Amino acid sequence: MRAKRILCTLIAVMMTAAVFGVHVTVAEAEEITEVTAVTEIDPAALAVAGSPVNCPSFTTTSPGSAAVDNSLVFWERNGMESSPEIFYEGTWKLWAAVVIDGTNPMDTLSDSVKLTVNGKPWILDTVSHRSGDDPCEVAWFICPDVFTVTGGPLTFTKDVNWDIGQSVRGVPIPSFNVSAGAGGGKKPYKFTKHFGPSWISVSEDGTVSGTNSSYGINQMLGIQVTDDNGDTAVITLDVALTKKDDREDIGYVEISWPTLPGMLHAGQTVSSSGQSVIYPDTVKIQTGYWTKYDPETGEFPKIEDGETFGPGAYQFHLSVYADGEKYLMTAPELSVNTEPWILFEAWHSFGKEGADFTSDVYTICQSVPTVTVSGVTPPVSGSPLTTAGLSVSTEGAYVGSAHWTKYDPGTGTFVVCDGDEPQASETYYLELDIKAKELYAFDSAVHVRVGEYEPPTVQTTYMEDDRLFVRCPVQKADASEALYVVTAGGLNVRAAASGTSQRVGGLVFGDGCRALAQSGEWVYIKHGDLTGWVLRQYLALTYSEDTAIKPEYYTVTAGALNVRSGPSTDYPRIGGYTEGKKVLITGRINPGTENEWLVTDYLGELGFMMAKYAQGESAEEDNSIVKFSLDFSFPEDPSGAIHCCISTADSVTLTDDNFYLDEGGILCSLIYPDDAMNFRSLTEADITVPEETGLRILEIVPSADGSITLRFVASDFELAYSFTEGAGASWTKGSGKDLQITVKRNIDDSRTFGLFDGIYMDGTEVDPACYTAVEGSLNAVIGSSYLESLSAGEHVLEVRFSDGLKAVTAFKVILPPAGGGTQPATGVGSFSGLYMLLSLFALMAAVSAGIERRRGAKR
């Protein structure tokens, strides 16, 4: 047969050469009869109880294309097809495969090929030659040595041949014995049925038998072994039963979920409960959960109950079942609140006939109740009308288009006049097309504010769920190109020329800014990328960007000092100061010279005076520190807003918008100083919180713009650290195991690792080389080598932090029991453990199947 196969291959090659005019020289086929290999590690040194199942690596020393394939070397225990990870008690054999990988079509293995390893011949089991599915030549060999492993912990390994295939009702299954899978521990062993079909029995010696008396549901059989120490281990077998043709097929399920419609809104709490079966009453609900679309992965990951619905796409997954001995679910239909749902999969398991369904995608939009337009540049004489810088500060909306218009009485329409220079006699309107972002929708009573203007000045002329069209007349301002420096400790920049207008940013003492326009007591300024309105009284004129300084006070030393319109005596006098007058200086020209001039804001006009007739001092006085009391009024409903939050001082006004919960769930108040007020030196002693609120200040966080954030906790709150893993732990000498500990902070846990200051045992610091510590609260692993140095008995384990606090727990070091260590319980006590075992055995089966394809005729 082998000669025929070689001849056919040669004929095919020569015919191809003839057709395409190719000259082929055919080499004589080589039949490989001898293969030699060496391995550095003796297999007997590997087969030690409790050691990982590792395979030796082979190096082929014989010439030719046949070689030992190290990926096809494996151990076999007690003659069973299994893939254990640890050497358990039993009889072990080592298998290896010699392979010609198909790239050498003219070579073939002899049917009696030999393999010699380290000078010792191995036993040939099977040889498989090339086929249409597999172009390789493979010969399987068994090491002539049999390796007997004794001792070690109790183990119970499944043989896949023990799975019970489809059986016939009323006919006994062939009995078999599973005792070969047990090893280690202390004999004798006792076998029992742990769970499974009632008609299957397991004798004490491990014999499985029974007569099928059930219907057609696939089930599982759990078999437990117990050794003389009382330790246990469990294996799980598949049981495939017969079908029962007269079971009723459930084709339709109807479910009511009254709370679903009210739940599907942004801000509502996620809940997977509340369903009830209307028809038929034989169907039960097994599980249900929500998922949310992730645009980055394109998938719907699960979300947990108790979270909050936000803008996004959601689906619900519902699983129902019926008694599998009486009912089928071939392809059922489901309706929830009369709406049809999608069948994902019909299934049968553990005596149940079930089906999984998914809802349609529910798209939830966030309601937008208010829209605030900022960056409004008013019509300024001498400058063209512009819409640059317009933006919507409200999340979920944006400006689609914007135009300046004026009314044409001749046509009765509004005419676009972008880029025109404003005329004094005209009224100009800002027209905005405002759009909602994806997954947002405008509230039917949306409140639109444009700069300082609100309804009815802001006229909403068109509205849809995702679009607003508004028109707003805006006051004309006078152009200005003045340069200013800020004289206040903190200065709010607002969206419009009004103290109640939205704050869009802040300036601090000494900041420079350029005026664009002025309207009454308000100046429209630009500072970097920030534009907005500020009060003129907290600004002082300066000469140029090159000569500007932070404001300083100079005291006039001459009897009388002229103030001129320019930095020279050639400029006309615009006023003067007398001796002893303190003057605020905003710039210096020719500093350090005899011709140095000082710049000042002289009654709203740029003034210059000679420096040699004045003496300077710092003007940045910290005399605007605010002390205030917060007056809280909380709602009865925890979800409601905080009301009447007002200050008892003139310097700060709080509204609901000032309060929020940060990422850690802590109540915070963001406070901006009113114009010219300074919070930089504020301490907890400066703030009074009413006792009836039950709150105290945890922390004051200042910002560069002069604002502060107050973080509150309950009055009786005590900051603490605690062990969430490793509390009261014990450790056995000689176990070789490390100790895992986790410590959390009861507030702001994200700061725990940054404050970590060391681990102490009985008051003595543990060398950091003896442990590793990583973020995620504080996760630390103390090495076994250090733990071995501790004496047996009670110890005190501390984790200390740089804020002066620590977490403390008792820690015990124990000696191993006489005669050996304790054995871990391996029994399966829940379905979750069962599922984990099933997953493990599925992986083992996949590996075994891959080996089976190579071994071919061996089985």
Side-chain angles (χ1 to χ4, degrees), residues 280-591:
D281 57 8
T282 54
V283 170
K284 310 296 181 185
I285 295 173
Q286 178 159 291
T287 58
Y289 60 91
W290 284 99
T291 60
K292 182 180 181 181
Y293 179 69
D294 183 346
E296 292 186 3
T297 64
E299 298 177 350
F300 279 81
K302 181 181 178 181
I303 59 175
E304 301 296 335
D305 283 6
E307 295 186 23
T308 302
F309 282 110
Y314 296 84
Q315 266 190 321
F316 194 79
H317 298 250
L318 184 67
S319 182
V320 299
Y321 71 94
D323 184 348
E325 293 196 1
K326 300 178 183 179
Y327 301 98
L328 287 169
M329 281 195 179
T330 305
E333 297 178 359
L334 173 74
S335 71
V336 177
N337 295 348
T338 71
E339 293 294 328
W341 281 27
I342 304 164
L343 175 63
F344 177 73
E345 181 183 23
W347 51 268
H348 46 269
S349 179
F350 297 103
K352 298 176 181 178
E353 282 284 328
D356 297 334
F357 296 88
T358 60
S359 69
D360 285 335
V361 175
Y362 297 112
T363 300
I364 297 179
C365 292
Q366 176 75 52
S367 177
V368 181
T370 60
V371 174
T372 302
V373 180
S374 57
V376 180
T377 302
V380 178
S381 57
S383 299
L385 291 163
T386 179
T387 58
L390 278 178
S391 65
V392 175
S393 57
T394 307
E395 181 182 0
Y398 65 97
V399 176
S401 63
H403 297 287
W404 284 102
T405 64
K406 61 182 179 180
Y407 183 70
D408 183 354
T411 61
T413 61
F414 286 86
V415 179
V416 174
C417 51
D418 293 339
D420 293 351
E421 184 177 326
Q423 300 177 17
S425 59
E426 293 286 355
T427 300
Y428 293 93
Y429 297 82
L430 184 60
E431 294 188 351
L432 303 172
D433 188 2
I434 303 171
K435 297 183 179 180
K437 296 180 181 178
E438 185 178 6
L439 300 177
Y440 287 84
F442 293 119
D443 189 277
S444 58
V446 63
H447 180 97
V448 182
R449 179 172 182 167
V450 179
E452 65 176 312
Y453 303 99
E454 300 187 53
T457 302
V458 180
Q459 307 161 13
T460 301
T461 60
Y462 176 81
M463 179 178 178
E464 291 182 347
D465 288 345
D466 61 351
R467 189 177 183 188
L468 294 171
F469 188 82
V470 298
R471 180 181 290 124
C472 176
V474 180
Q475 69 192 62
K476 179 175 170 292
D478 296 325
S480 174
E481 294 183 354
L483 290 175
Y484 292 99
V485 291
V486 177
T487 61
L491 182 60
N492 290 320
V493 180
R494 301 186 180 276
S498 167
T500 61
S501 176
Q502 179 191 7
R503 183 184 186 278
V504 295
L507 302 174
V508 295
F509 179 86
D511 280 346
C513 56
R514 180 177 295 277
L516 302 178
Q518 185 165 347
S519 178
E521 62 178 345
W522 291 88
V523 180
Y524 188 71
I525 61 93
K526 178 177 177 61
H527 173 78
D529 294 332
L530 176 66
T531 57
W533 293 90
V534 297
L535 278 171
R536 170 65 175 87
Q537 69 188 88
Y538 300 116
L539 300 176
L541 287 166
T542 191
Y543 178 56
S544 69
E545 294 181 6
D546 295 333
T547 61
I549 61 171
K550 282 190 174 184
E552 296 179 1
Y553 278 112
Y554 273 71
T555 303
V556 176
T557 57
L561 180 59
N562 291 326
V563 178
R564 300 183 178 275
S565 62
S568 168
T569 55
D570 294 335
Y571 286 92
R573 179 181 183 277
I574 60 173
Y577 294 116
T578 58
E579 184 177 0
K581 176 66 176 177
K582 277 190 174 182
V583 182
L584 190 68
I585 300 303
T586 62
R588 298 171 64 191
I589 301 172
N590 303 322

Side-chain angles (χ1 to χ4, degrees), residues 53-266:
V53 176
N54 292 322
C55 296
S57 179
F58 292 80
T59 302
T60 305
T61 58
S62 58
S65 60
V68 176
D69 188 338
N70 284 300
S71 67
L72 297 180
V73 177
F74 69 95
W75 288 94
E76 184 179 76
R77 175 180 177 268
N78 293 351
M80 296 186 298
E81 296 289 340
S82 59
S83 299
E85 296 182 357
I86 297 176
F87 280 105
Y88 301 131
E89 182 179 84
T91 301
W92 294 77
K93 292 182 179 180
L94 182 61
W95 289 76
V98 172
V99 177
I100 297 175
D101 64 8
T103 60
N104 294 278
M106 300 311 298
D107 288 349
T108 184
L109 291 172
S110 168
D111 287 335
S112 57
V113 63
K114 297 178 181 180
L115 172 64
T116 302
V117 180
N118 292 349
K120 181 181 294 186
W122 280 38
I123 302 168
L124 176 63
D125 184 74
T126 57
V127 178
S128 61
H129 297 285
R130 294 183 178 89
S131 66
D133 296 332
D134 192 344
C136 297
E137 300 265 332
V138 183
W140 286 96
F141 291 88
I142 308 172
C143 180
D145 298 325
V146 175
F147 306 92
T148 302
V149 177
T150 59
L154 175 65
T155 62
F156 200 7
T157 306
K158 171 185 172 181
D159 187 332
V160 294
N161 295 316
W162 294 342
D163 286 334
I164 300 172
Q166 191 175 55
S167 58
V168 180
R169 189 178 181 194
V171 178
I173 62 171
S175 62
F176 57 93
N177 191 280
V178 298
S179 60
K186 183 179 180 182
K187 297 180 180 178
Y189 303 139
K190 180 180 178 180
F191 297 87
T192 56
K193 185 171 75 172
H194 194 54
F195 57 84
S198 59
W199 56 272
I200 296 180
S201 63
V202 179
S203 65
E204 289 190 6
D205 68 352
T207 300
V208 180
S209 60
T211 299
N212 185 348
S213 62
S214 187
Y215 295 117
I217 318 113
N218 290 333
Q219 298 188 45
M220 295 291 177
L221 171 64
I223 303 175
Q224 178 174 289
V225 62
T226 305
D227 70 358
D228 204 38
N229 290 325
D231 293 330
T232 61
V234 174
I235 61 172
T236 304
L237 308 183
D238 294 331
V239 181
L241 304 183
T242 57
K243 294 182 178 180
K244 178 175 179 289
D245 297 332
D246 59 349
R247 284 183 294 170
E248 180 183 345
D249 196 343
I250 297 176
Y252 176 72
V253 180
E254 185 175 352
I255 287 179
S256 172
W257 194 355
T259 59
L260 177 62
M263 195 189 312
L264 296 173
H265 299 282

